């Protein structure tokens, strides 16, 4: 049976797709998200999304029988639970009710899953879990889309699981670092994911992100959104160093510092010394420099955590699509 698998990260502005074999990226591609295709993190046209992915797979020859999808925090409800030790059937029966205060509507409209955070022995009275709830409609949509591309959807996981898998596959990385912060400089939000070892500790979502920078360029230069996006990421006319952009970088960095200080206050034993950047904002050098200066810790681009057999100039964009392909058994 083939060990190849497609990893898919559907973002608000781009779709990232990787083909992995035995934990190594062998091909990848990025597609712009068509206008109106994703509204409030929900796919509005399943058939069109399937056509888009099929065309990308054909053009890049990224065929695989298995597909894995990473989903955003806006779609996936994630909870850390400590529950009395119980059997698996009893846990699966009771898990939905742990989300009853967080989910609007009928619990039957969601799919629930969990992961045991630590091994449970007969002496333990409680067990620690990472539990997730996903809209059943999204699961069904993605299963249909995967089938249309000739693949079978074998995994849907939140961002946290993708980063967790990368930490677990890190080998010497986990010996060098006891704590990890993944900073996703995305289009609609900046997200900070904190881990101690491979144990997820916190996620912080900040409002300032790439769309704020693009809105500034649109207003100052009279650009359309798509043109402002290209100007920013390609640094046309040195737009990344405009004073308005530098001020936004500083705002982002200050928000990150506040989130980091709160994390350290809540975790006084924290020894965090490194941050790994991913997402489109990781390509903006002035933003990286200001974050480095403000946070006062070592900044890495997360592509150094990716294993690939091909050269990927913008590998930091594929971190989550890469991570979601790992940490499970191929049948």
């Amino acid at each position: 049976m083939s060990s190849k698998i497609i990893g898919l990260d559907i973002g608000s502005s781009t779709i990232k797709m990787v083909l992995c074999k035995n934990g190594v990226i062998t091909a990848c591609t990025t597609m712009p998200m068509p206008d109106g295709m994703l509204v409030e993190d929900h796919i509005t046209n399943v058939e069109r999304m399937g056509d888009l992915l099929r065309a990308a797979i054909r053009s890049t020859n990224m065929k695989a029988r298995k597909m894995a999808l990473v989903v955003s925090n806006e779609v996936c409800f994630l909870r850390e639970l400590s529950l009395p030790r119980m059997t698996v059937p009893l846990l699966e029966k009771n898990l939905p009710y742990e989300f009853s205060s967080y989910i609007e509507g009928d619990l039957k409209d969601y799919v629930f899953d969990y992961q045991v955070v630590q091994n449970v022995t007969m002496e333990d009275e409680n067990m620690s879990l990472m539990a997730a709830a996903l809209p059943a409609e999204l699961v069904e949509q993605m299963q249909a889309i995967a089938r249309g591309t000739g693949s079978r959807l074998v995994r849907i996981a939140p961002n946290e699981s993708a980063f967790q898998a990368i930490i677990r596959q890190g080998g010497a990385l986990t010996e060098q670092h006891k704590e990890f912060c993944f900073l996703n400089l995305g289009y609609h939000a900046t997200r900070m994911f904190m881990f101690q070892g491979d144990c997820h500790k916190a996620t912080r979502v900040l409002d300032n992100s790439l769309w704020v920078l693009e809105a500034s360029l649109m207003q100052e230069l009279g650009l359309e959104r798509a043109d402002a996006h290209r100007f920013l990421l390609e640094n046309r006319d040195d737009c990344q160093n405009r004073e308005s952009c530098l001020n936004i970088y500083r705002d982002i960095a200050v928000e990150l510092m506040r989130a980091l200080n709160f994390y350290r206050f809540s975790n006084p034993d924290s020894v965090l010394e490194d941050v790994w950047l991913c997402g489109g904002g990781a390509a903006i050098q002035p933003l990286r420099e200001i974050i480095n200066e403000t946070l006062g810790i070592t900044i890495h681009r997360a592509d150094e955590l990716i294993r690939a057999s091909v050269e990927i100039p913008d590998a930091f964009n594929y971190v989550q699509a890469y991570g979601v392909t790992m940490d499970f058994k191929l049948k």
Side-chain angles (χ1 to χ4, degrees):
M1 186 69 71
S2 172
S3 61
K4 293 192 296 184
I5 180 170
I6 290 172
L8 193 61
D9 178 7
I10 299 177
S12 56
S13 65
T14 57
I15 302 169
K16 283 79 69 176
M17 187 162 57
V18 300
L19 179 65
C20 288
K21 183 175 182 180
N22 299 324
V24 178
I25 297 178
T26 59
C28 61
T29 189
T30 299
M31 300 153 279
M33 175 65 73
D35 290 339
M37 178 75 78
L38 201 67
V39 176
E40 296 183 350
D41 294 287
H42 289 83
I43 299 171
T44 59
N45 191 323
V46 173
E47 184 176 349
R48 190 180 175 197
M49 177 65 77
D51 291 340
L52 185 66
L53 295 182
R54 279 194 298 274
I57 289 172
R58 283 197 301 268
S59 64
T60 57
N61 198 29
M62 291 173 57
K63 296 180 180 179
R65 294 184 179 179
K66 296 179 173 64
M67 180 179 289
L69 171 72
V70 63
V71 292
S72 71
N73 303 82
E74 286 74 18
V75 173
C76 179
F77 291 90
L78 199 65
R79 291 201 64 199
E80 296 177 14
L81 302 173
S82 179
L83 299 176
R85 184 164 53 86
M86 63 186 75
T87 63
V88 171
L90 188 59
L91 173 60
E92 292 177 345
K93 181 179 180 180
N94 283 280
L95 192 60
Y97 299 102
E98 297 296 328
F99 289 87
S100 58
S101 299
Y102 298 85
I103 291 176
E104 296 182 0
D106 198 328
L107 293 175
K108 293 180 181 179
D109 294 333
Y110 289 81
V111 174
F112 301 90
D113 202 357
Y114 67 94
Q115 183 181 54
V116 178
V117 175
Q118 61 187 31
N119 293 329
V120 182
T121 67
M122 295 300 294
E123 290 75 26
D124 293 327
E125 294 183 0
N126 294 321
M127 53 185 180
S128 299
L129 305 173
M130 179 73 78
L134 275 169
E137 180 183 10
L138 173 65
V139 176
E140 293 169 358
Q141 285 180 338
M142 291 310 305
Q143 287 174 332
I145 289 172
R147 285 195 298 270
T149 66
S151 300
R152 178 170 62 91
L153 189 66
V154 297
R155 190 179 193 216
I156 299 181
N159 294 309
E160 287 82 355
S161 291
F163 292 124
Q164 185 182 60
I166 290 174
I167 294 172
R168 289 176 174 172
Q169 298 287 335
L173 181 70
T174 55
E175 298 175 6
Q176 298 169 13
H177 305 280
K178 302 302 180 184
E179 240 173 320
F180 298 86
C181 173
F182 289 92
L183 187 55
N184 184 7
L185 302 170
Y187 185 76
H188 275 127
T190 297
R191 296 178 174 88
M192 180 182 278
F193 303 88
M194 315 299 295
F195 293 83
Q196 289 185 358
D198 64 354
C199 179
H200 174 252
K201 300 297 293 184
T203 296
R204 299 286 180 263
V205 182
L206 313 178
D207 291 333
N208 273 341
S209 55
L210 296 188
W211 78 267
V212 180
L213 290 164
E214 291 182 10
S216 176
L217 293 177
M218 289 169 64
Q219 182 177 10
E220 290 187 17
L221 303 178
L223 300 172
E224 297 293 331
R225 185 183 66 85
D227 293 329
H229 185 78
R230 286 192 294 270
F231 259 68
L232 179 64
L233 296 187
E234 296 173 10
N235 195 25
R236 296 186 186 179
D237 298 334
D238 197 31
C239 66
Q240 292 180 0
N241 286 297
R242 295 180 69 90
E243 188 61 32
S244 58
C245 289
L246 293 174
N247 288 333
I248 295 171
Y249 303 154
R250 295 185 188 105
D251 290 342
I252 292 174
V254 168
E255 285 191 64
L256 291 172
M257 175 55 75
R258 289 172 180 162
L260 182 59
N261 287 341
F262 181 80
Y263 170 77
R264 285 171 168 163
F265 176 79
S266 304
N267 299 272
D269 59 338
S270 172
V271 293
L272 182 67
E273 297 178 345
D274 301 79
V275 172
W276 282 266
L277 304 184
C278 59
I284 303 175
Q285 182 176 348
L287 175 57
R288 297 199 308 267
E289 292 174 350
I290 288 177
I291 290 175
N292 190 12
E293 293 170 3
T294 306
L295 269 58
I297 55 181
T298 305
I299 302 294
H300 309 265
R301 290 206 323 191
D303 33 319
E304 67 183 57
L305 306 179
I306 286 179
R307 292 191 294 164
S309 62
V310 293
E311 185 177 352
I312 309 176
D314 54 349
F316 50 82
N317 279 321
Y318 300 97
V319 173
Q320 287 143 285
Y322 171 67
V324 78
T325 68
M326 299 191 292
D327 217 27
F328 71 101
K329 295 180 181 179
L330 293 170
K331 297 180 180 179

